[in-house]
Amino acid sequence: MSAAALTTAFAGLAGAVESGGVIMHFGDPMREQRRLVSGSAVAPLGDRTVIEVAGEDRLSWLDSITTQSVARLAPGESTELLVLDPQGRVEHAAGVLEDGTSVWLIADAADAEPLAAWLGRMVFRSRVTVTLRPELGLLGFFGGGDAESALREIALAPNGLSLLWSDPWTAVQAGGHQYANVTSHPAAEYNWHVAIVDGDAAASVAQRAADIGVAGILAAEALRIAAWRPRWVSEVDERSLPHESDWIRSAVHMNKGCYRGQETVAKVHNLGHPPRRLAALQLDGSDDVLPEPGASVLADGKEVGQITSAARHYEDGPIALAILSRRAPAGDLVVHSDGTDIAAAQQVIVPADAGATADVPRLTRLSRRPEGQDPRKA
């Protein structure tokens, strides 16, 4: 049985609306957001997949090939990692949970198989096995309420420790760096967790969740967007650098050993600025149009970026994340979607001057020396 069985079981609950293997909502996305935040609802995450990494070299091996320092990760500890290409662009992303015997990676479904395949190619002589685990299901919830206590019982515990991943986005992690220049970051309230559950017990898991309260992916996504939290499936494209979405705060350790793409990460951070930047948008809801990912963002009639994620938030109304050119103005913008222009108030997440520009003295070019000057005396 696969994780799809979990979606099927939740689809049988009252009010469930399913699309493409994902439960979108249970009839009232706004109420579902409130229940999630209060810790009294569970959201089936059919858009994510689990990868198990086992073997005694698992932590040191992952440490050597990814952006995160995981070599000393203790059982029960959570973090997240990125895999970069040689030019420092994001290729893969995953949440990380160590249970003392295996590392459990939580990846967006479209990225899980490519990530598992890449990891498999990197094993070489390391004592590591990489296994895609599509038969396992995932449930998201906010901590501190009834959902957390129930999911500690529902979650798998193959090695005696409940598989509950805690999202590190809540705060800047050791070795990380935050570009957002804010006194109160919305991530501080983003107490998000994910439980790994048995797909073979889908019916009983769904019933237990229904006894607590259920929410769909629309509610979970609205809360993620409000917390400025990037995801691989939405905020990453073929050009993405981790700096652009402030992902260094939780997924990149700036002081660990070498890994692929590290030179670019350090260079952009220490000597320059990321070419693009993530921004949060508060959208005008007058026309009741929610832009799709890829919708153009305009400043003075010129395109300066694209929407990556959008949702209707239970308190803030229509909101979005957008990836913009570094040179895009910091003021109000316009989103063009379905023939409609939507006014958008911008909250800068990654400033245009993110990173530290070193004052490197320039050498005088030979061609600019005064005629007849001895180069040894220049």
Side-chain angles (χ1 to χ4, degrees), residues 2-19:
S2 71
L6 196 65
T7 298
T8 300
F10 274 89
L13 299 179
V17 175
E18 181 266 340
S19 177

Side-chain angles (χ1 to χ4, degrees), residues 172-239:
V172 180
Q173 300 301 296
H177 181 89
Q178 177 177 299
Y179 288 140
N181 185 19
V182 292
T183 55
S184 180
H185 199 295
E189 305 299 322
Y190 191 63
N191 190 16
W192 181 245
H193 304 266
V194 176
I196 301 176
V197 298
D198 186 1
D200 287 339
S204 62
V205 167
Q207 187 54 58
R208 288 289 302 277
D211 292 340
I212 304 164
V214 287
I217 203 69
L218 292 180
E221 280 294 279
L223 299 174
R224 175 188 70 84
I225 294 166
W228 305 350
R229 208 275 186 252
R231 275 186 72 182
W232 178 91
V233 74
S234 50
E235 277 65 54
V236 172
D237 60 22
E238 69 280 355
R239 298 167 52 199

Side-chain angles (χ1 to χ4, degrees), residues 2 8 33-34 43 158 187 196 198 213 220 266 322 332 353 363:
S2 71
T8 300
Q33 289 180 48
R34 293 187 181 93
I196 301 176
D198 186 1
D332 292 348
D353 61 354
L363 297 176

Side-chain angles (χ1 to χ4, degrees), residues 7 28 154 196 204 206-207 229 238 284 286 293 299 344 357 359 373 378:
T7 298
D28 191 345
I154 297 173
I196 301 176
S204 62
Q207 187 54 58
R229 208 275 186 252
E238 69 280 355
D284 179 11
S286 300
T357 303
D359 184 15
Q373 180 176 341

